[in-house]
Amino acid sequence: MHVPEGADPDAKRTMLKKINAAVTEAYRLPDFMTFIHEHALDLVALDGGLLADDQQRAETRQRSTPDR
């Protein structure tokens, strides 16, 4: 999974549980591992535009990211 840096841990948990349930149901795998890669918004583009240029998205991320 590639997710925005600083994404909400509860949102990631929910996403991973749903993905795991879907893969387990579809493929009947005994074990399934998911890797999360976090990326800064200035390193990801959608439709040719940097996500960091999306002011609303950048502001939302700043509010939800604890000081490091």
Side-chain angles (χ1 to χ4, degrees), residues 36-57:
I36 298 175
H37 298 273
E38 291 188 332
H39 300 280
L41 296 181
D42 64 342
L43 299 176
V44 179
L46 175 65
D47 296 330
L50 288 174
L51 292 184
D53 292 342
D54 182 338
Q55 190 62 36
Q56 181 179 2
R57 183 186 303 260

Side-chain angles (χ1 to χ4, degrees), residues 1-64:
M1 304 306 309
H2 293 268
V3 300
E5 191 174 63
D8 177 51
D10 288 331
K12 287 191 277 189
R13 284 183 191 95
T14 299
M15 173 186 67
L16 292 168
K17 285 179 183 177
K18 289 181 179 184
I19 290 169
N20 190 74
V23 171
T24 300
E25 174 71 23
Y27 296 104
R28 305 281 186 207
L29 298 175
D31 297 304
F32 178 70
M33 188 176 291
T34 305
F35 295 87
I36 298 175
H37 298 273
E38 291 188 332
H39 300 280
L41 296 181
D42 64 342
L43 299 176
V44 179
L46 175 65
D47 296 330
L50 288 174
L51 292 184
D53 292 342
D54 182 338
Q55 190 62 36
Q56 181 179 2
R57 183 186 303 260
E59 288 173 3
T60 299
R61 182 184 164 275
Q62 286 174 345
R63 285 193 301 269
S64 66

